[in-house]
Amino acid sequence: MRALAIHKEEVTMRSTTVRHLVGGIAALACALAVVAGTASAAPSGPPIRIGSTLALTGPLASTALVHQLVGDIYVEQINKKNGLLGRPVEWIVKDDQSKPDLARTLYEQLITVDKVDLLMGPYATGAILSAMGVAQRYNKVLVHHTFGIPSLAKYDAQFPTWSLGADPAATFPNTLFDALATTPKPPKTVAIVTSKFPSVHFMSLGAREAVKKRGLQEVVFLEWDFGNRDFGAIAARVKDANPDLVWVGAIGLEGNQLLDAMKKIDYTPPLHFYMYPAPGPMAQAPEAKNALAATIFEEHAPYLNNPGAAEFVKLFNERAAKAGLPYTAVETQAAASYSAWQVLDAAVTATKSLDDKVLAEWLRKNKVDTIQGKLRFDGPSNYGDDLMAVKQVQNGRWVTVWPKSVAAPGATLMTK
Amino acid sequence: MGLPSLSLIAQSVLSGVFIGALYGLLGLGLSLSWGLLRQINLAHFALAFLAAYLCYQLSTVGGIDPLLTLVVIVPGFFALGVAMQWLFARFEITAFNSLLVTFGLTVIVESLIQSIWTADFRRLESTYGNAKFKLGFLYIPAPELLTLVLSLSLAFSMWAALRYTDIGKALRAAAEDGPIATAFGVNRQALALLLSGACAALAGVAGVCIALSYTLAPAQIYGWIGVVFAAVMMGGLGRPLGPIVAGIVIGVSESVTMALTSPSWAPLVSFSLLIVVLLVRPSRV
């Protein structure tokens, strides 16, 4: 009897233990379900494939690298959340070798062979123009980040995220001269020297018009071919002309090359502006003190208050350092690139569709919050406002100084 | 537009001399390998940029004076040149094929540079970069002056070596008529290894000069090819003084064009000069 009692007790204990165990597992499962419910569910199903090219080699590679990092960061971020429409995102990026003709072929491949669901634009005007032609042929939406000549964007399903405005040659020089007009000694004489690189040349011609309209004096106008190596004579001519302001229609390293040549003849321009300089080399060059340039984003408030900006900046700084980039700050290139991903994401999420026609329709009618501000696509060539601001090298870093609405806290335009 | 000032013209001429000296220095090794080894060595430009990046690395990370990096770069590149020539001889690469093979090598070196230093810009900050002298109203930057001095001394040294030494005479004889030179006891293979090593070492020196004066990016390798080829062809193949003279003529012409007219006309100058030289003296090439 006693043995039977003991056996019964053991059975009871065992069944109690099993009940406790099952109860525990159930509770754990419930807890996990609650946690999973509050966080995003992992994306599942076949991936949404987004195709693009970038100039991973060739003369544009230094900047395209920034766009590659940005794309990697965005895709990683989105896949950590719920993907797109609950599906993981896969980014297929091919090397167009800085060649627009190759970009055309590769976009064709992305659509017809890789059968990507969506397209993302390549880097730089020439390649984007090529990709635009292909996108148009297949009625695909093309969101792009670095198209420099808005008047050439004729396709109605292309969406630019570099907020140049529809006519930057008219609007941006005015922004700059408005900024300079606030200084104690606004410029009266201007030297305009410019690369013949298409996306900066037309801006320099716009600056000439602005100079004329404002009654300023153009003391010298010089043009050079992109790829020029010797800036000695150009620097000497600028020095000879002795202007109050030098407008340098430079792209990439050209600005530094001219600055270097000016330094060698002991000349420092009173005011100097560079259209699209290589941000790192210019910020770090001592002779670039107070140099001005155009921007759509810098690493300070109020830009950092825009949705996603602070987190992205932190991630980009880390990744750029890890990738061995000498300049790790987020500025125009990275910001335009991240905005492009935000725009594509916003359109797909809002419409719950991958249909290019639906996406294009939605984008034309809606504004999208991006790290550079609200973008709209309802103006000429799908361009919205010209959000370009004026930045300046101060203490070895770029800070936005104009307009006041986006200027870094406490920053003012320095003239000495 | 008023008359250009004397200081503008003089400074522009000086600037042209300096850039011309770099054209000449880059062209020197190219001209010798083309003229004496019958190799059109496009990889010469890639080697120069590889040396520039090594100079940047050794100076920036290693803290070595940029000029002292020559102690490592020159022998290292000499060995590289010897190895290249050994491979070329082993696979019997012809003059035309050398153009294709060395283009391939250039692409490989560009990729190597990009994988190590990324495609982003690199700038060597050194004490030489800010040093300059003033001579009357003329400014003379130290790195450019250094390039000029190195170019002239190397060009004259090579000229003297080819003209007055036994090895130089043997090299010229081998280029003139290989089989006959061999019959007279000239060891063509050994001489070719020596010359190829010397040309690569010259590329190394040019690279250090580039690092001292320019911001580096891998794709810039290709930016120099056209104008340096023009200098080499104008200067005459296998002639050590030719590229430096032609380089300075091109540099000054470009610079004066920029000072007097639109700078965008400058690139036309080098190739117009080349066409004129080819029309007037076609035997130079």
Side-chain angles (χ1 to χ4, degrees), chain A residues 177-217:
Chain A
F177 286 112
D178 286 348
L180 294 170
T182 64
T183 59
K185 201 182 159 201
K188 289 185 179 136
T189 55
V190 183
I192 297 178
V193 296
T194 184
S195 168
K196 286 170 97 174
F197 195 82
S199 51
V200 294
H201 190 252
F202 86 107
M203 295 292 282
S204 298
L205 297 183
R208 292 190 88 183
E209 286 302 310
V211 164
K212 213 183 290 175
K213 278 183 189 158
R214 287 173 179 250
L216 307 175
Q217 190 193 349

Side-chain angles (χ1 to χ4, degrees), chain A residues 230-240 260-267, chain B residues 4-20 132-142 144-145 251-252 254-260:
Chain A
D230 182 14
F231 283 82
I234 297 170
R237 284 182 77 171
V238 172
K239 186 181 182 183
D240 236 28
D260 220 29
M262 293 196 288
K263 185 177 78 172
K264 283 172 184 165
I265 53 171
D266 244 358
Y267 173 65
Chain B
S5 66
L6 181 63
S7 64
L8 168 62
I9 299 289
Q11 193 68 54
S12 301
V13 169
L14 197 62
S15 167
V17 169
F18 288 143
I19 189 123
K132 58 175 173 278
F133 311 100
K134 200 170 177 208
L135 195 69
F137 52 78
L138 289 177
Y139 291 90
I140 303 168
E144 277 80 354
L145 182 64
V252 171
E254 284 183 343
S255 205
V256 171
T257 306
M258 283 198 238
L260 299 179

